[in-house]
Amino acid sequence: MSFSTTSSPAIEVNDVRKRFGATWALRGVDLAVQPGTILGLLGPNGAGKTTIVRILSTLLVPDAGSARVAGLDVVRQADEVRARIGLAGQYAAVDELLSGRRNLEMVGRLYHLARAESQRRASELLDQFSLTDAGDRLARTYSGGMRRRLDLAASLVARPQILFLDEPTTGLDPRARQEMWQAIRALVQGGTTLLLTTQYLDEADQLADEIAVIDRGTVVANDTPRALKASIGGEQLDLVLPDDANLPYAAALLERITDRVPAVDGEARSISVAFDGGPRTLTAIVRALDDAAIAAEDIAVRKPSLDDVFMRLTGAPTSETMQSTSHDLVGREAA
Amino acid sequence: MSQAIALPTPAATAANPLRSLRWALADALVVAGRHLTHLRSVPEKLAGMIVQPVIFVLLFGYVFGSAVTVPGVNYREFLMPGIFALTMAGTLVAAATGMAEDRQKGIIDRLRSLPIARSAAILGATLANLAEAIVGLVLLVICGLAVGWRTHTDPLRVAAGFGLLMLFQFAMNWAGIYLGMLARSADSADQIGMTIFMPLAFVGNTFVPMQGLPGWLQTVTNWNPVSAIVQATRQLFGNTGAMQATAWPMQHAAWVSLGWSLVILAIFAPLCVRRYRTMATK
């Protein structure tokens, strides 16, 4: 195709808007994904991630703006777009009453592969995703992780240039998540362009070349994970108190010294704040706490995480999952 | 991933309408194959499909049948066309819940993201439902023959009777699928489907002659599409008994039934395809 040369973006979104009833799910989204790279679309539940994926995969028509996938307009050239993309959804769209193999063969036949070619491709994919042993069992007997892998395999039957993964690891246990990540990394090595939505910061950090942070229907930041973390500047100070009685006072102290608004987590009795990283500021903080007779259970200085970026950009960690994940991330970095 | 498979692009197929029609049919058959494989995966579905009508035959044929007499015909012969039609109409509920379930589980989204004809997903489901219904019908015929049901006309009329039954099933199928596309969930599709099915099936001549009903109710039942197919097949199979139909729709039941099926198809097939298309705007 002459119009999908490597120099133009594989995915291009210009001022896309979408309304459901009275609510705007997307209020003007712009994105560009270069061929062979992974864009992580990061945001809390209800931010509009799935809506973007549905528009780009031709399942939904935008109310305004335009989007091109592989150089093709997703509304006017929807059929041509469909021939070039793969989609794996949040709710694994596999037929539970068919075997894994039959699922893949059916998709192959619908892509108009010859019967023998569909069968060959199905075996190949079952192998690639470690499902060969389970291949002839009904998909309803599969574990959550196996189902997701089968769904991913189904999206790859026709070797799409561009792949959309909508929350590929939501609800998976840590081990299944790791396996999914490995499978995704292997894909991109083969040159596939990937747009991945996630509400897990560490997932975006691990997989994506670029991250677009989306909140309430707009992209609030779009950069590499490294640059996003750098944009928050300096270092991050985590303070944990033995009880929550002094939390507000300590937070006020930190705000006065660093001139930044700290993030307070009452449950963990912790305060997080960005600061310049200099020993002078650190000393000032420790002294101020000491003067106020606030005993700290723990003080740690670390590089900012994406969670900090996210809080800075959107004001709050908007979902439970995000919060717990961010703690995992912090814990791992501290260890 | 770098090696490409030569896919016949939709653009190339669209250039040739005959070829694209052939692909649409081929796609529909693949989708239908999926539904039929389910019967093998879930044999209880097939069992349920057969057991219920058999219970109806036994229950109505022997339990109630002992209290009902239809002049000039063995009640079980009179009953069988009713059971045939009831079973065909009942597939409306199965079609609706099947479609709602596929929507809920994301299978419809998967199909919509593939470069296949817009009609293939629905046509495939209706063809599979029709195939299932034919299997059910064959088993019911065997069951009917076992309890003494016979046809008393020429093979052409008998064939026309079964043809009308299948056409009626196919029409109800599209109505069911449309319902499944509108319903919030499989459960609600099931409930709405049953709410539509029950009066259609029972406010009519399915089990008893209508002559005993009050006048206003007779007008309703005379125009019930299920009454039309029941009366049509009774006439075509020779199971009406001595009573003569007086109402015009009952006298011309075969034509009325044909008309009903075509009207239902003409309404719901385009609605289904349109709804499938406009899923993208919702």
Side-chain angles (χ1 to χ4, degrees):
Chain A
M1 295 289 133
S2 57
F3 37 74
S4 60
T5 55
T6 43
S7 57
S8 61
I11 302 170
E12 223 182 333
V13 179
N14 290 313
D15 197 29
V16 159
R17 289 153 200 272
K18 181 72 194 176
R19 190 175 59 182
F20 296 112
T23 28
W24 284 94
L26 300 179
R27 306 157 186 269
V29 167
D30 296 280
L31 288 173
V33 187
Q34 296 310 314
T37 66
I38 303 186
L39 175 76
L41 204 53
L42 175 67
N45 282 328
K49 303 186 298 290
T50 300
T51 308
I52 294 177
V53 168
R54 290 177 70 81
I55 286 173
L56 291 176
S57 56
T58 77
L59 296 182
L60 203 59
V61 174
D63 292 329
S66 69
R68 300 181 86 79
V69 168
L72 301 158
D73 187 281
V74 294
V75 179
R76 275 173 294 130
Q77 294 164 295
D79 268 328
E80 278 107 317
V81 170
R82 288 184 197 115
R84 288 170 178 77
I85 60 164
L87 169 68
Q90 186 175 164
Y91 310 100
V94 296
D95 190 330
E96 296 181 338
L97 301 180
L98 298 183
S99 68
R101 186 181 300 279
R102 285 296 297 249
N103 262 292
L104 298 178
E105 284 174 7
M106 179 185 81
V107 173
R109 299 288 290 154
L110 290 173
Y111 273 112
H112 301 164
L113 303 184
R115 189 180 297 272
E117 174 66 13
S118 303
Q119 288 168 351
R120 204 187 55 73
R121 187 73 182 124
S123 299
E124 202 173 282
L125 284 163
L126 288 173
D127 212 37
Q128 188 180 337
F129 290 96
S130 326
L131 291 168
T132 304
D133 291 341
D136 295 311
R137 265 169 35 205
L138 293 190
R140 72 167 164 195
T141 66
Y142 286 17
S143 69
M146 289 163 79
R147 235 176 256 216
R148 292 295 174 90
R149 294 208 302 277
L150 179 61
D151 188 40
L152 182 57
S155 71
L156 294 172
V157 167
R159 302 178 201 274
Q161 300 167 21
I162 296 162
L163 188 62
F164 300 102
L165 299 182
D166 191 16
E167 303 203 4
T169 66
T170 297
L172 293 188
D173 62 53
R175 191 200 150 108
R177 256 178 110 200
Q178 288 290 343
E179 286 171 353
M180 196 72 184
W181 284 0
Q182 273 170 19
I184 291 170
R185 282 201 195 96
L187 279 178
V188 179
Q189 275 166 7
T192 312
T193 307
L194 207 151
L195 188 148
L196 158 110
T197 77
T198 181
Q199 40 178 320
Y200 301 118
L201 297 149
D202 55 338
E203 185 160 282
D205 202 6
Q206 290 266 346
L207 295 174
D209 299 306
E210 264 194 45
I211 293 177
V213 181
I214 178 163
D215 187 43
R216 280 167 240 138
T218 51
V219 175
V220 290
N222 190 348
D223 218 325
T224 62
R226 181 191 290 264
L228 280 178
K229 283 188 256 183
S231 72
I232 199 166
E235 308 267 324
Q236 198 74 15
L237 179 107
D238 290 332
L239 172 69
V240 183
L241 300 181
D243 55 71
D244 52 13
N246 287 324
L247 269 184
Y249 185 66
L253 264 182
L254 290 182
E255 180 166 0
R256 205 176 60 221
I257 298 169
T258 61
D259 207 24
R260 300 274 180 90
V261 181
V264 180
D265 185 337
E267 214 167 297
R269 306 180 314 277
S270 72
I271 306 170
S272 240
V273 70
F275 78 113
D276 57 17
R280 196 172 299 221
T281 317
L282 193 57
T283 317
I285 290 171
V286 174
R287 187 168 298 153
L289 288 171
D290 208 31
D291 288 347
I294 297 173
E297 193 174 278
D298 189 25
I299 298 182
V301 175
R302 58 174 173 83
K303 293 275 175 213
S305 71
L306 277 176
D307 190 35
D308 303 316
V309 178
F310 195 84
M311 288 212 230
R312 169 68 62 82
L313 290 169
T314 65
T318 341
S319 78
E320 292 289 322
T321 7
M322 187 104 57
Q323 226 159 359
S324 62
T325 315
S326 78
H327 290 139
D328 293 350
L329 185 67
V330 173
R332 210 171 303 134
E333 279 186 2
Chain B
M1 283 308 106
S2 50
Q3 63 195 112
I5 293 175
L7 289 175
T9 67
T13 46
N16 184 337
L18 206 68
R19 245 194 103 193
S20 67
L21 183 71
R22 220 190 65 209
W23 273 128
L25 269 175
D27 293 341
L29 289 178
V30 173
V31 175
R34 160 187 171 245
H35 288 269
L36 293 177
T37 314
H38 289 174
L39 287 185
R40 233 187 311 161
S41 317
V42 199
E44 57 269 31
K45 191 177 162 194
L46 191 65
M49 214 167 76
I50 298 156
V51 169
Q52 199 198 17
V54 170
I55 288 176
F56 273 148
V57 171
L58 297 178
L59 182 72
F60 285 96
Y62 290 98
V63 180
F64 296 152
S66 59
V68 181
T69 46
V70 183
V73 63
N74 170 347
Y75 177 68
R76 287 191 297 281
E77 283 203 36
F78 177 84
L79 175 70
M80 279 320 289
I83 301 282
F84 293 151
L86 186 77
T87 311
M88 297 299 103
T91 56
L92 171 131
V93 185
T97 44
M99 173 47 89
E101 223 165 81
D102 282 353
R103 261 177 57 225
Q104 255 177 333
K105 290 191 174 159
I107 289 170
I108 294 298
D109 278 349
R110 162 80 76 211
L111 291 176
R112 288 177 60 226
S113 78
L114 297 176
I116 60 173
R118 303 285 81 186
S119 55
I122 312 166
L123 186 62
T126 51
L127 288 177
N129 289 342
L130 178 63
E132 282 174 29
I134 291 172
V135 173
L137 197 55
V138 168
L139 292 164
L140 265 182
V141 165
I142 295 169
C143 180
L145 290 172
V147 300
W149 168 74
R150 296 290 182 271
T151 59
H152 304 281
T153 51
D154 53 286
L156 206 66
R157 276 166 196 275
V158 173
F162 283 114
L164 276 181
L165 278 169
M166 285 185 267
L167 180 68
F168 180 63
Q169 194 281 341
F170 195 61
M172 292 303 272
N173 221 328
W174 284 87
I177 284 190
Y178 186 62
L179 173 61
M181 286 199 281
L182 296 182
R184 244 169 235 289
S185 66
D187 280 342
S188 96
D190 184 48
Q191 277 158 10
I192 301 169
M194 283 309 276
T195 311
I196 297 170
F197 167 72
M198 291 305 267
L200 278 179
F202 293 98
V203 185
N205 55 356
T206 318
F207 300 106
V208 289
M210 294 188 293
Q211 276 77 355
L213 299 175
W216 64 271
L217 197 56
Q218 277 194 36
T219 316
V220 175
T221 52
N222 281 335
W223 287 100
N224 178 345
V226 175
S227 297
I229 181 72
V230 171
Q231 177 70 10
T233 43
R234 273 184 192 139
Q235 287 170 350
L236 289 165
F237 296 156
N239 302 132
T240 44
M243 274 198 281
Q244 290 303 309
T246 48
W248 186 87
M250 290 294 103
Q251 284 172 334
H252 307 83
W255 295 109
V256 172
S257 177
L258 180 71
W260 267 121
S261 294
L262 293 179
V263 166
I264 293 170
L265 264 178
I267 292 171
F268 287 102
L271 277 178
C272 281
V273 176
R274 216 190 77 188
R275 177 76 191 168
Y276 192 82
R277 267 179 217 277
T278 56
M279 272 180 181
T281 61
K282 297 292 177 315

